[in-house]
Amino acid sequence: MMKQRIYAYGRKIGLDEASVVKTCGSYYRNYGLSVRGLVMHHQIDPVEFDEQVDGSLPLEDIIKPDVELRAMLESIKTRRWAFTNAGNNHARRVLKCLGIADLFEGITYCDYSEPDFPCKPEREAYDRAMCEAGVDDAQLCYFADDSAKNVEAALNLGWTAVLVSPAIRTMGADKTHLQIQSIHQLPTVLPQLFN
């Protein structure tokens, strides 16, 4: 559903039907978010994009509370901080729909109103997350993400990072990483964080 809305927005700004999927996919792979490429190459307003794409999704009809995820998060012994490439409103809506919004001290999100807003996998996004969470030591950061590029960036900064993907992925011969198929499996790879 999200991709369809991104493609519709791409068509709205003049991308032709034959290239919209390829172009938006390329922007996602190259810049971490399709919206970043649309801003850089088509000078779109990212706030408008956020309203028309993320903001128009009927999340409350799609995402339901995840009792198992909530119980797992509640059993974590350390602080919890959300770090997302979504905008603030979308991130808060997703956390609320999942029934876990109250479990996080804060959220580092993409501020679409900021020119050249940083996003994962850019180092500046990770630095911002650490600063906003009040963490100075990268070794105290634990990170789970469904993007191999984002996990690799976290590993390069000294974070402990877990790839969440139903498919087994390799990240290069020199990258040692943890991988799970579902976020619910997090305690199996990081047992030291849980009660």
Side-chain angles (χ1 to χ4, degrees), residues 36-108:
R36 288 292 304 277
L38 292 170
V39 168
M40 294 172 72
H41 299 285
H42 306 276
Q43 295 72 48
I44 68 148
D45 177 358
V47 173
E48 177 190 81
F49 174 92
D50 185 43
E51 291 168 356
Q52 293 184 16
V53 176
D54 293 356
S56 70
L57 290 169
L59 297 179
E60 294 75 11
D61 297 333
I62 301 167
I63 302 173
K64 301 303 177 196
D66 188 331
V67 178
E68 183 182 356
L69 178 60
R70 181 175 180 86
M72 182 200 65
L73 290 170
E74 287 177 324
S75 70
I76 292 177
K77 298 184 285 190
T78 63
R79 299 173 57 215
R80 294 174 297 264
W81 193 271
F83 178 25
T84 179
N85 267 356
N88 186 31
N89 291 336
H90 184 76
R92 291 185 187 282
R93 285 177 65 206
V94 168
L95 294 174
K96 182 178 178 186
C97 290
L98 287 169
I100 59 173
D102 62 310
L103 300 180
F104 293 90
E105 288 183 36
I107 304 172
T108 296

Side-chain angles (χ1 to χ4, degrees), residues 28 121 143 145-152 162-164 169 171:
Y28 176 80
F143 177 73
D145 200 283
D146 62 353
S147 164
K149 282 185 177 182
N150 295 346
V151 168
E152 185 170 2
V162 179
L163 179 62
V164 183
R169 298 183 190 170
M171 294 176 53

